[in-house]
Amino acid sequence: MNKKESMFYIGLNRLKSIVDIKSNNIVSSFFKRALFSLVFISIISTISIIHFLQYNFYTSLADDIKVNVDERLSKYGKDFKSSNKELLKEDVEILMKQLGLVVIEIYDDKKEKFFKFTSAEEKFADKLELVQANYKNIGHNFPTSKKISYNFFEVPGKHNFMQIFYPIYKSNNLLGYIEVISYIEPIVVKRFKQSILTTIVTVSVTIFIFSLLIFPLVYFAYKKLNAHRLELLSSNIMTINTLGNAIALRDSDTNEHNYRVTLYAIKFARSINLDYESIKVLIKGAFLHDVGKIGISDNILLKNGSLNEEEFEIMRSHVVKGVELVKGDSWLEDAKDVILYHHERYDGSGYPNGVKGKEIPIVARIFAIVDVFDALTSKRPYKEPFSYEKSIEILRDGYNSHFDGELLNNFIEISHKLYNDTRLKQKEELKKELEGLIKKYFLE
């Protein structure tokens, strides 16, 4: 197995371990979502059942009253005013006894009340007083269609009443309007509430049993889908890792440089509270910032000494080459904010486009600082590492010229700790720490 294959499989095994950790959370995640769905469906079902049963209860009571009233009063002529009031009164009394009515009011076709009858039964005396005391709070809106309108209301003392209001027609001629207030016996209300409770319990148990039956099917489908998602994400992470390693085969220090500079960038970004998504972009960009060097020849990339003007122009082209490499890849493409801009300068004197100030994406302004810092403190084919103090001095010379001055000050405040925490770690330690951060931002 050659060096490139070895590096590839090492990276693959490490990423697999990260995915395995993430996979252990699938069951917990699924149970939480399944429980939420079950509770949500139960709540929606309960609300729907209550509304449906209430509607049926009210309409069935109202329809029953209407049928009996219509049957008793259908014998009257074109209008109630021309009818025999004594006979009408007798019929109304019979209705009130049969249906437990407390009040009946009859209006003519002009909506003028000409008849009102209240129950004379002793058992309704106290209830009649309650209704009359609360009568002004009961709506008296005349129906605008042939449909019956109803109102179920409760008065102090937990006494329940049903008010219905509807027009009377005979041979399509409007005779008038009837308003009826009926007392609803407590046993009827109790049975209604019991039926609601029974129905809710039945539906809830049915939902629960159904959930238990389909749970294995949904769980395995969810697990398979999540596995595919993690596989795709791991493949994407492997892409940037492999591309970084490909550079390492051509530049002896670039691989460790990738680890260090990415760690610097993440910790620096977190110290200034950069948003979560931008840090993910920064991580990808840090891995791929020099990917364009694949297209630079060895005699320039590894030259021991300064580059001449022509060679420097070729070296600078690695920025554009890098953007071309990630172009068209939806997951990698946002890394171009680092790849394309990390050699731009705050005063506009950088390359490739001479962009300046806040026009340079913040991820590139952050990376420019940590990239130069690591380059200064690292050994290169053309130089020995500078000391921490000398490196910071050089960075300060670039205040608001090479670098964003505000970000530079923020970095300098934490740079000594970053330097001590990172420079003393071996490659495997750096990789392990970086994998933990990749897991946090991409796989959790």
Side-chain angles (χ1 to χ4, degrees):
M1 182 181 293
N2 60 36
K3 184 179 179 182
K4 185 174 182 179
E5 290 174 332
S6 175
M7 294 174 69
F8 179 84
Y9 284 109
I10 289 172
L12 179 61
N13 290 332
R14 290 190 176 278
L15 284 166
K16 184 178 182 300
S17 68
I18 294 173
V19 173
D20 289 341
I21 293 172
K22 176 62 177 178
S23 298
N24 292 333
N25 295 325
I26 293 176
V27 175
S28 175
S29 175
F30 178 78
F31 269 110
K32 288 178 182 178
R33 295 183 184 188
L35 180 60
F36 173 80
S37 299
L38 183 62
V39 171
F40 178 77
I41 292 172
S42 298
I43 292 173
I44 295 299
S45 299
T46 300
I47 294 173
S48 300
I49 289 168
I50 291 174
H51 282 285
F52 178 75
L53 292 179
Q54 282 181 336
Y55 174 79
N56 278 349
F57 177 65
Y58 298 156
T59 53
S60 62
L61 285 176
D63 288 341
D64 185 57
I65 293 172
K66 181 180 182 301
V67 167
N68 283 276
V69 172
D70 287 351
E71 183 180 352
R72 175 64 60 176
L73 302 182
S74 61
K75 61 186 177 181
Y76 293 98
K78 293 184 177 181
D79 61 73
F80 290 117
K81 283 186 175 180
S82 61
S83 303
N84 186 318
K85 283 194 174 184
E86 289 300 320
L87 184 59
L88 179 60
K89 182 178 179 181
E90 289 178 8
D91 286 329
V92 168
E93 285 179 340
I94 294 172
L95 278 172
M96 300 193 84
K97 289 179 180 180
Q98 288 178 338
L99 303 177
L101 305 182
V102 179
V103 176
I104 288 184
E105 292 184 352
I106 299 178
Y107 299 81
D108 63 19
D109 56 346
K110 302 294 192 285
K111 301 181 180 179
E112 293 180 3
K113 182 167 64 177
F114 73 93
F115 185 90
K116 177 178 180 180
F117 194 85
T118 55
S119 176
E121 291 192 51
E122 185 175 341
K123 66 177 182 178
F124 287 146
D126 58 336
K127 299 173 183 59
L128 182 60
E129 290 179 6
L130 289 172
V131 171
Q132 290 176 332
N134 291 271
Y135 201 68
K136 62 181 179 180
N137 297 323
I138 303 171
H140 296 280
N141 297 322
F142 283 85
T144 57
S145 67
K146 292 183 179 181
K147 292 182 179 180
I148 185 173
S149 64
Y150 59 83
N151 179 26
F152 190 84
F153 63 95
E154 183 180 313
V155 297
K158 294 187 177 180
H159 295 291
N160 296 286
F161 296 87
M162 166 72 78
Q163 175 206 32
I164 68 171
F165 207 168
Y166 68 97
I168 295 290
Y169 284 87
K170 190 170 185 179
S171 300
N172 288 325
N173 292 319
L174 177 63
L175 302 182
Y177 300 87
I178 291 182
E179 180 182 18
V180 174
I181 297 179
S182 173
Y183 176 66
I184 308 300
E185 294 289 344
I187 187 64
V188 175
V189 177
K190 182 179 180 180
R191 287 173 181 170
F192 167 63
K193 291 179 178 180
Q194 287 175 340
S195 70
I196 288 180
L197 180 60
T198 301
T199 305
I200 289 174
V201 170
T202 302
V203 171
S204 297
V205 170
T206 302
I207 292 173
F208 180 73
I209 293 174
F210 181 73
S211 299
L212 289 180
L213 292 175
I214 67 169
F215 175 85
L217 297 176
V218 177
Y219 169 70
F220 286 117
Y222 176 85
K223 187 175 181 179
K224 186 176 181 180
L225 178 63
N226 197 61
H228 286 315
R229 183 184 70 84
L230 291 175
E231 182 180 350
L232 178 60
L233 185 56
S234 297
S235 176
N236 288 333
I237 296 173
M238 178 59 69
T239 298
I240 62 175
N241 192 44
T242 302
L243 286 172
N245 288 343
I247 297 298
L249 295 176
R250 307 194 61 240
D251 184 343
S252 61
D253 193 49
T254 305
N255 195 25
E256 288 189 38
H257 168 66
N258 271 352
Y259 295 143
R260 287 194 303 269
V261 83
T262 304
L263 286 171
Y264 285 152
I266 296 170
K267 292 177 181 179
F268 179 24
R270 292 169 68 172
S271 74
I272 60 171
N273 298 317
L274 190 66
D275 66 272
Y276 192 89
E277 290 302 316
S278 293
I279 291 179
K280 290 170 68 174
V281 171
L282 183 59
I283 293 171
K284 287 187 279 186
F287 267 114
L288 299 175
H289 71 283
D290 276 339
V291 70
K293 287 183 179 179
I294 290 175
I296 306 300
S297 63
D298 286 349
N299 63 328
I300 294 175
L301 184 65
L302 302 177
K303 182 178 180 180
N304 187 13
S306 300
L307 302 175
N308 61 40
E309 186 175 344
E310 182 181 354
E311 291 170 335
F312 187 61
E313 283 300 317
I314 295 173
M315 178 64 83
R316 296 206 308 183
S317 70
H318 81 276
V319 173
V320 177
K321 293 179 187 296
V323 173
E324 287 298 319
L325 282 171
V326 301
K327 187 177 181 181
D329 188 313
S330 60
W331 195 75
L332 296 179
E333 198 164 15
D334 56 0
K336 72 180 186 299
D337 279 354
V338 174
I339 297 171
L340 183 61
Y341 294 99
H342 74 283
H343 283 298
E344 297 287 1
R345 293 176 176 244
Y346 200 69
D347 62 3
S349 63
Y351 67 89
N353 299 316
V355 181
K356 64 180 180 179
K358 297 296 171 47
E359 294 175 2
I360 304 171
I362 188 169
V363 288
R365 283 181 274 139
I366 288 171
F367 186 79
I369 294 171
V370 298
D371 186 36
V372 172
F373 177 73
D374 187 69
L376 291 171
T377 55
S378 302
K379 178 179 173 59
R380 287 287 188 267
Y382 52 84
K383 62 173 274 297
E384 292 298 319
F386 290 113
S387 67
Y388 167 77
E389 290 74 18
K390 179 63 176 178
S391 299
I392 293 298
E393 182 182 339
I394 295 172
L395 286 180
R396 289 186 189 277
D397 289 340
Y399 182 89
N400 274 347
S401 55
H402 191 159
F403 311 111
D404 180 331
E406 182 180 355
L407 287 178
L408 181 60
N409 285 337
N410 292 332
F411 176 74
I412 290 173
E413 287 181 7
I414 64 170
S415 61
H416 196 267
K417 186 176 188 308
L418 289 182
Y419 178 78
N420 287 335
D421 289 347
T422 305
R423 292 298 301 178
L424 298 178
K425 290 182 178 177
Q426 298 300 313
K427 182 189 293 187
E428 289 304 314
E429 292 180 283
L430 294 173
K431 290 166 72 174
K432 184 176 180 181
E433 183 178 4
L434 189 54
E435 284 167 3
L437 291 173
I438 289 174
K439 173 178 175 287
K440 174 180 176 61
Y441 284 98
F442 288 97
L443 296 177
E444 289 186 352

